[in-house]
Amino acid sequence: SLNYERIPNIGYYFEGGLIVDSLNQLSSFYGQYSPGTKLAVFNDSVRLENPNFTLYSDTLHYRTDSKIATILGPSVIVSDSGTIRSSRGWYDTVNDKALLLDRSEVESGVRILTGDSILYDRVSGVGEVHGRMSLIDTLQRAILEGEVGYYNERTGYAFATDSALFLEYSQGDTLFLHADTLQMMTIDSVYREVKAFYGVRFFRTDLQGVCDSMQLNTRDSILYMYTEPILWNENYQLYGDTIAIYMNDSTIDHAHVIQFAFAAQHVDSSYYNQLKGNDLKAYFEGQALRRIEVSGNAESIFYPQEKTGEKVGMNETKSGFLTIWVKDNQLDKLKIWPSPTGTMTPIPQLTSDQKTLDDFYWFDYIRPKNRDDIYQVIKRKAAEAPK
């Protein structure tokens, strides 16, 4: 049945019907149309069929002149490129563009883009997000978040800023990484590249770090840290010019500190075991440090201990190369070559200047303590800036 009221110039049906124009066919249980305003209103079991997609909704307004559908209730848009879920917004059926509000969602293959406001272009595959952006990769188990973001489903490129966060949970331990700006690029169905710029801080239960910029490449499982990088594992601290972290499945295999390198371990109170050189490699087993190799101008300070835990003295060495082995978080063996020199100084005879090598700093106040601490803005003290 179809009713028409002449004075308001409105036609309507309430037991199911269709409104058809040159581009779209719309059906619903209740619908009305005003020829004067070109506005159609649909309620209950709404279906908009377009050559490129199908829209299912609870409540929908549609203008036959501009062919723009206004979403006013829970809706789903299904196409060959993916699925859109929204409860408020509009869709331009001519240009295939949409503004989606109220925490809408765009699903494309294995990736789900969510935000308070999404400006989406189905033709180019680009979604611009404002407010609580979240991009979830369900295949590679990664999440990119931020207050402002961008995602191109055609190229796999994503961008996030303002409280930007990257989570990688493909293995047993989740990586929480924060920076001012984050970029994620999909290389193929398996590999991706993540870049972080300005104020990088990350936390894993076995590994924490800070630097100015960072790059993670899942193809070769290497994480590069640039500009004043610092890395922590348990009570060990590594820092230098550049740090490359080589991952092995879910755990770290080894870290390479390039050019200038410094490693320190807190022993107790004001005593620290220290290693310094041109190049340093730290090897891990499980989540614990097992061996450190220093190449070029190797210097060390160690505090050997009796079985009772009492320090024997301070052992200071210089050589071309140095290797230490660690067992139960303590020095197990030390190898230095060629032509090493060294001294052993009793603890009572030590002065404060003798306790540390040049360029030693303990950056524990910068270290991320937990997953929420990565958002803290902590600067190095002026006296601890790199020379």
Side-chain angles (χ1 to χ4, degrees), residues 200-201 209-212 225-232 237-243 257 260 262 359-367 376-387:
V200 178
R201 293 172 62 82
V210 301
C211 58
D212 180 70
M225 302 173 65
Y226 301 104
T227 311
E228 302 183 11
I230 311 171
L231 186 67
W232 292 271
Q237 171 187 278
L238 306 176
Y239 59 93
D241 182 75
T242 301
I243 300 178
V257 189
F260 165 73
F262 207 116
D359 302 312
F360 166 79
Y361 303 107
W362 190 246
F363 294 110
D364 196 57
Y365 66 96
I366 300 177
R367 182 178 189 173
Q376 296 291 329
V377 179
I378 305 174
K379 300 290 186 182
R380 283 189 180 188
K381 298 172 184 176
E384 299 175 346
K387 295 182 178 60

Side-chain angles (χ1 to χ4, degrees), residues 101-132:
L101 307 171
D102 291 355
R103 207 76 193 134
S104 298
E105 179 183 291
V106 178
E107 181 178 345
S108 176
V110 297
R111 295 178 181 87
I112 303 172
L113 178 67
T114 307
D116 291 345
S117 170
I118 304 176
L119 184 60
Y120 177 68
D121 188 328
R122 199 186 73 86
V123 176
S124 64
V126 172
E128 298 180 18
V129 184
H130 292 268
R132 297 186 296 164

Side-chain angles (χ1 to χ4, degrees), residues 22-73:
S22 60
L23 183 62
N24 301 301
Q25 174 176 293
L26 298 100
S27 62
S28 64
F29 188 78
Y30 173 85
Q32 71 177 45
Y33 179 64
S34 171
T37 63
K38 308 296 184 185
L39 176 64
V41 177
F42 301 91
N43 294 103
D44 194 353
S45 306
V46 184
R47 179 186 178 105
L48 187 157
E49 295 185 58
N50 179 280
N52 298 318
F53 65 88
T54 302
L55 187 157
Y56 304 90
S57 182
D58 173 73
T59 303
L60 190 75
H61 288 186
Y62 177 75
R63 300 193 66 91
T64 56
D65 50 357
S66 64
K67 295 179 173 49
I68 292 177
T70 301
I71 299 168
L72 297 171

Side-chain angles (χ1 to χ4, degrees), residues 1 3 28 70 84 127-128 138 190 217 223 240 268 303 309 314 319 335 342 347 368 372 383 385:
S1 72
N3 288 9
S28 64
T70 301
I84 297 173
E128 298 180 18
T138 58
V190 178
N217 191 331
L223 189 156
D268 59 35
Y303 295 91
M314 188 193 79
S319 60
K335 177 182 177 182
I347 297 296
D372 298 317

Side-chain angles (χ1 to χ4, degrees), residues 128-144:
E128 298 180 18
V129 184
H130 292 268
R132 297 186 296 164
M133 169 199 172
S134 172
L135 177 62
I136 302 175
D137 189 321
T138 58
L139 177 64
Q140 299 185 26
R141 297 190 176 185
I143 302 174
L144 182 65

Side-chain angles (χ1 to χ4, degrees), residues 55-98:
L55 187 157
Y56 304 90
S57 182
D58 173 73
T59 303
L60 190 75
H61 288 186
Y62 177 75
R63 300 193 66 91
T64 56
D65 50 357
S66 64
K67 295 179 173 49
I68 292 177
T70 301
I71 299 168
L72 297 171
S75 304
V76 178
I77 304 172
V78 180
S79 68
D80 54 0
S81 62
T83 303
I84 297 173
R85 295 178 179 86
S86 180
S87 59
R88 190 165 69 93
W90 55 258
Y91 196 106
D92 184 340
T93 64
V94 176
N95 299 301
D96 271 336
K97 294 182 179 181

